[in-house]
Amino acid sequence: MRLRRKRALWRAFRARRELTLIQDNTSRIRPDDILLICTLRNEYVRLPFFLKYYRDMGVRHFLFIDNDSDDGSRKLLLGQEDVSIWHTTASYRTSMFGVHWMNWIARKYCHEHWTLTVDVDEFLVFPFCDTRPIPALTDWLDNSGIRSFSAMLIDMYPKGPIDAQPYREGQNPFEIAEWFDSGNYMISMNPEYYNLWIQGGPRARLFFKDDPKSAPSLNKIPLVKWHRDYAYMQSTHMLLPRGLNLVYETEGGEKASGALLHAKFLNTFVEKTREELERRQHYAGSREYLAYHSRINDDPDLWCNWSEKYINWRQLEILGLMSKGNWA
Amino acid sequence: MTVGFVMLVHTALHRAEQVARHWATHGCPVVIHVDRRVKKEVYQPFVDSLSDLDNVVFSKRYACDWGTWSLVRASQDASELMLSRFPEARHVYLSSGACLPLRPVEDLKHYLAARPMTNFIESVTTEDVPWTVGGLDSERFTLRFPFSWKKQRRLFDRYVHLQRKIGYKRKIPDGLVPHLGSQWWCLTRQTLSAILEDPDRKAYDAYFKRVWIPDESYYQTLVRLYSNNIESRSLTLSKFDYQGKPHIFYDDHLQLLRRSDCFVARKMWPKAERLYATFLNPDVNPMKGTEPNPGKIDRIFAKAVERRVMGREGLYMQSRQPGHGKGHGKTSAPYSIFEGFSDLFEDFDEWLARSVGARVHGHLFAPERAEFSSGQKVFSGALSDHAALRDYNPCGFLTSLIWNTRGERQCFMFGPRDTQDITWLVATDPNAQISVISGAWAVTLFRSNLSFSEIRREAARLQKIETQHIDILRSQHVKARIRIWTMADFIESQMEPLQAIIDEIGPRNIRRLTEAPRMRDLTGFGQFLQNLKNQGMKPHLMGDFPMGNEPDTRPRSNKRPYLVK
């Protein structure tokens, strides 16, 4: 495991050459700041709300890796004081879907910072997030001696065809995609890395029902008090050292956890699917996208009778998708 | 006469300054101890910021570590300074930098003035405290603790273990009876000076220096020597979680804190802007009450600890994944499994749904699809009826179903044709009620259109599966409520077993069953079994069936069963 971690760090080190720093505001990072790392490609429409959402939550600095956007995403980010940007034209796939880049940036800038690693369509929800900012959570985690915080991915989707209501720039995506699956998640343990493997939700229910093993993983550990020797292994699903993956209690109690609301299924998704099919830069030959494409074409509705309408974090807590643990 | 505050401060100095200023400007002298680890560049501006107040002074600085003597040392020095510098202080209140006064200072002054001789200090004998960290209570006073619990936990544990093994015990000084309690107290000048000026103090200090977490026992023990007037409770509201860490208050606790009527509370989150703004503003602060009443806060924090330690029964999620044999229940609510009933009776599920107030599913684990009630393709929690999806994690499917439908009892059919992976789970789950009519699957085969050789092969397969299943249900590890009849036995007396099952499902349903489910036509079934035997297969799960053509059931099942009201 130690070797694997070293190898991941070495790959990250090698990947540094693929990144060109085009806006460096990292000198503005102060010791206790919450940092956010995000890899993106052509997310112009989504960025304004994303930035606002996380700024309001207390993120102090954004570290973006721009995988060669051509829609003006970069222009939008340039000039913002709390944003640093790296640009790369290298392949998303050979960088292990951005993991090497992320690991490198995290190693260099996030040592001893609470670091949130998310995609542009992932929105963190945690206990009391309507009244307390992220620093309240991280202070509490620090106090409790916890270094990693789990937040499983919850796919949000609209009622009706996913492209019926176009997403406008700056809009809260959950005004459109306000539904989710509340209780069809399948969990198993990964004995190698100690992490839980969670699958389910609308993607497993509709796209992968005949091949559930290939359904996308929903377990994520996006918030970590970073140390330069840590490394993400597969997206943010698991980390090394393995102890960081033990975000669950095995003795019967509940640890605190949150959720990442996934605003993937908007009208932008249809275009994205088409593009990804040509680029083939995603996990496992973009098989996810292949499955989506065929399905979305003949029946684009993810909604069902038992879909749950999103209200707030307390609802997710009651449904058992996340937990307050002993935070009160 | 007034009350003097001794503040122990180590972080968030700007908040400490606010609070100290609040107290000082309301006529309470303040002595502040700042941890020596606080850097000079931070410490000096803090001192300067309070220099305009002449009733705020700073005591000698010590480097303080959690659970060590240094904290007591710091409070001793600061208290001495308080007693000598401010003769007007009749009570001395020990507080921390994260404390926040919830009620107007005048309130506290009146309260204390009305009780001029009372010492407010939680002081409980070691036998009576359930909340100690690390399971050490009386041993705190009799062992030695040279290692840090936080930084050198392993050494700490080993050394404690070693001392226990060789039976080492320190001698407790004469006259001392160990007491424990919250480290935040409010003592009278008389008592505090008696403690600090005791001729034996040197000996006591030497002893307590080696006690573990002396800040929770030093004053708490010594106060018993000098005063009979002790209110054993702390005026500071402070709650601890299961690891002994204090709970923290945030802006959203504002209303709770308001209603608690406590004088001082800790710990505040330093960035809880609204709390500080509200409670340090004497015009806005409306709290009026007599006795502190933190009951509601107690409940909230107790619940949080319970959630962390016990969790919600039957919930499997990203941060709760009880290992084998851990956690209390395997599922969140009682449910019933019926095996063989739908083979033997026509429309058994409809009949069952009429008889009990529960959700009745078909064969949830059928090979074709999960037969949710009334043929739904998706069920509660957006569970899909897709067989491959279900069989990917059958146990998870069942626990999710039970969790998703909390508040409504679930019943489903089961049989040897179905996915068997859940057998161990349900057999060892106290929430499961399992009723089995063994061998009833043969009725379905008997009625099918298959060729006899196919039937024979299928019968052998099903019998093997059901035998294994029943072996598990009869194993010694079983926790479920299980009833097993052979088909022959069940047919002999259908109503009593049914009544017993139904009564167990719905204890409120006192009505006797008025209508029996209709049994399928079994004419020729005995011969069918005999044919199987003749083909070299021994169907044994059905029990002893009469060879004749008529297991005499039809007339009985059609008429109303004989009932005694």
Side-chain angles (χ1 to χ4, degrees), chain B residues 194-466:
Chain B
I195 292 175
L196 295 175
E197 287 158 18
D198 190 292
D200 290 335
R201 179 174 147 189
K202 251 197 176 137
Y204 294 149
D205 284 8
Y207 169 74
F208 275 102
K209 256 178 209 170
R210 308 257 180 277
V211 164
W212 192 45
I213 323 186
D215 49 327
E216 284 182 1
S217 59
Y218 180 79
Y219 296 99
Q220 290 71 4
T221 303
L222 291 180
V223 74
R224 293 281 170 187
L225 294 181
Y226 307 108
S227 174
N228 290 323
N229 197 344
I230 294 171
E231 277 266 324
S232 181
R233 65 185 162 92
S234 174
L235 291 180
T236 304
L237 169 67
S238 174
K239 290 282 143 206
F240 293 90
D241 70 5
Y242 75 115
Q243 290 171 314
K245 290 182 284 87
H247 280 296
I248 297 169
F249 292 104
Y250 300 89
D251 281 346
D252 45 87
H253 289 122
L254 180 67
Q255 294 307 327
L256 266 182
L257 287 172
R258 265 189 179 165
R259 271 178 266 139
S260 73
D261 286 329
C262 291
F263 289 105
V264 178
R266 82 185 294 272
K267 250 171 128 165
M268 299 297 146
W269 187 46
K271 290 171 200 144
E273 210 55 59
R274 255 177 80 207
L275 290 185
Y276 279 93
T278 311
F279 289 114
L280 291 184
N281 183 346
D283 307 327
V284 184
N285 190 344
M287 201 130 80
K288 286 270 177 294
T290 44
E291 282 293 329
N293 173 27
K296 192 142 188 217
I297 293 183
D298 280 349
R299 273 198 298 283
I300 284 189
F301 287 130
K303 256 173 124 174
V305 169
E306 191 185 307
R307 178 149 293 194
R308 179 66 186 82
V309 179
M310 314 281 286
R312 287 170 278 181
E313 203 175 297
L315 171 64
Y316 299 82
M317 47 95 78
Q318 53 172 332
S319 54
R320 181 181 202 264
Q321 197 65 17
H324 189 69
K326 302 289 171 58
H328 290 263
K330 304 199 170 210
T331 49
S332 56
Y335 56 96
S336 307
I337 304 176
F338 293 88
E339 304 184 17
F341 288 73
S342 57
D343 298 294
L344 190 58
F345 298 105
E346 277 171 46
D347 300 326
F348 178 73
D349 35 1
E350 280 168 34
W351 174 84
L352 185 63
R354 275 198 305 275
S355 313
V356 295
R359 174 81 65 160
V360 181
H361 303 281
H363 285 258
L364 277 185
F365 291 89
E368 299 82 20
R369 51 179 288 267
E371 296 169 357
F372 291 124
S373 74
S374 49
Q376 296 178 76
K377 294 189 79 63
V378 184
F379 192 61
S380 186
L383 279 170
S384 162
D385 71 340
H386 209 79
L389 210 48
R390 176 201 65 203
D391 291 344
Y392 182 51
N393 191 343
C395 295
F397 178 85
L398 181 60
T399 53
S400 295
L401 176 79
I402 305 294
W403 171 260
N404 293 342
T405 54
R406 281 160 293 160
E408 181 193 51
R409 191 179 181 110
Q410 305 294 308
C411 304
F412 63 93
M413 309 302 144
F414 193 74
R417 285 180 72 240
D418 301 349
T419 304
Q420 297 288 311
D421 303 40
I422 59 161
T423 302
W424 271 114
L425 171 75
V426 296
T428 53
D429 179 9
N431 278 327
Q433 181 207 34
I434 308 174
S435 315
V436 185
I437 306 177
S438 69
W441 43 266
V443 178
T444 306
L445 278 185
F446 161 61
R447 294 173 55 250
S448 71
N449 285 328
L450 298 172
S451 73
F452 196 75
S453 64
E454 279 173 312
I455 288 182
R456 188 208 168 289
R457 208 176 318 124
E458 182 67 358
R461 186 180 77 91
L462 296 182
Q463 174 151 282
K464 196 171 157 206
I465 293 173
E466 190 166 73

Side-chain angles (χ1 to χ4, degrees), chain A residues 273-304:
Chain A
T273 314
R274 222 165 283 140
E275 190 197 322
E276 291 308 331
L277 281 179
E278 279 158 32
R279 290 181 67 227
R280 292 284 165 102
Q281 288 281 308
H282 275 271
Y283 184 63
S286 302
R287 72 178 168 212
E288 258 184 84
Y289 285 93
L290 276 171
Y292 302 152
H293 189 70
S294 54
R295 162 85 197 194
I296 293 278
N297 277 343
D298 28 287
D299 178 15
D301 194 358
L302 305 183
W303 187 87
C304 73

Side-chain angles (χ1 to χ4, degrees), chain A residues 57-234:
Chain A
M57 275 200 161
V59 170
R60 300 301 290 270
H61 201 94
F62 295 84
L63 306 154
F64 281 107
I65 302 161
D66 173 25
N67 187 5
D68 205 21
S69 298
D70 51 17
D71 68 340
S73 299
R74 215 172 325 147
K75 206 181 257 171
L76 188 144
L77 294 172
L78 280 171
Q80 312 226 22
E81 288 191 347
D82 56 353
V83 173
S84 299
I85 315 165
W86 285 260
H87 176 249
T88 178
T89 52
S91 150
Y92 185 60
R93 193 175 46 194
T94 48
S95 80
M96 233 180 66
F97 317 104
V99 170
H100 297 329
W101 303 332
M102 259 156 40
N103 279 340
W104 170 248
I105 303 270
R107 182 174 165 90
K108 194 154 175 209
Y109 297 100
C110 303
H111 182 61
E112 287 303 312
H113 282 280
W114 278 98
T115 306
L116 186 62
T117 311
V118 290
D119 286 344
V120 185
D121 54 4
E122 295 172 348
F123 295 89
L124 179 70
V125 178
F126 55 89
F128 306 103
C129 62
D130 47 359
T131 48
R132 304 176 197 173
I134 294 177
L137 174 67
T138 54
D139 281 357
W140 177 77
L141 292 169
D142 272 334
N143 252 327
S144 313
I146 302 170
R147 292 192 73 105
S148 54
F149 184 75
S150 152
M152 82 178 247
L153 201 61
I154 296 179
D155 290 326
M156 308 290 289
Y157 48 85
K159 188 173 176 178
I162 64 170
D163 50 358
Q165 221 181 326
Y167 175 71
R168 284 175 290 105
E169 191 187 316
Q171 187 186 13
N172 180 350
F174 305 117
E175 287 170 9
I176 302 169
E178 50 182 354
W179 300 85
F180 64 97
D181 284 10
S182 64
N184 58 6
Y185 298 94
M186 302 167 283
I187 309 178
S188 55
M189 212 165 319
N190 176 353
E192 201 177 359
Y193 287 93
Y194 301 158
N195 62 306
L196 292 183
W197 188 22
I198 306 179
Q199 294 166 292
R203 284 190 276 175
R205 171 161 61 88
L206 296 169
F207 305 138
F208 291 93
K209 55 187 176 192
D210 296 310
D211 180 18
K213 201 163 193 293
S214 313
S217 314
L218 304 176
N219 48 299
K220 291 228 168 192
I221 306 177
L223 185 61
V224 177
K225 174 106 180 228
W226 202 260
H227 185 282
R228 62 169 80 85
D229 289 339
Y230 292 175
Y232 275 120
M233 294 309 285
Q234 253 183 36

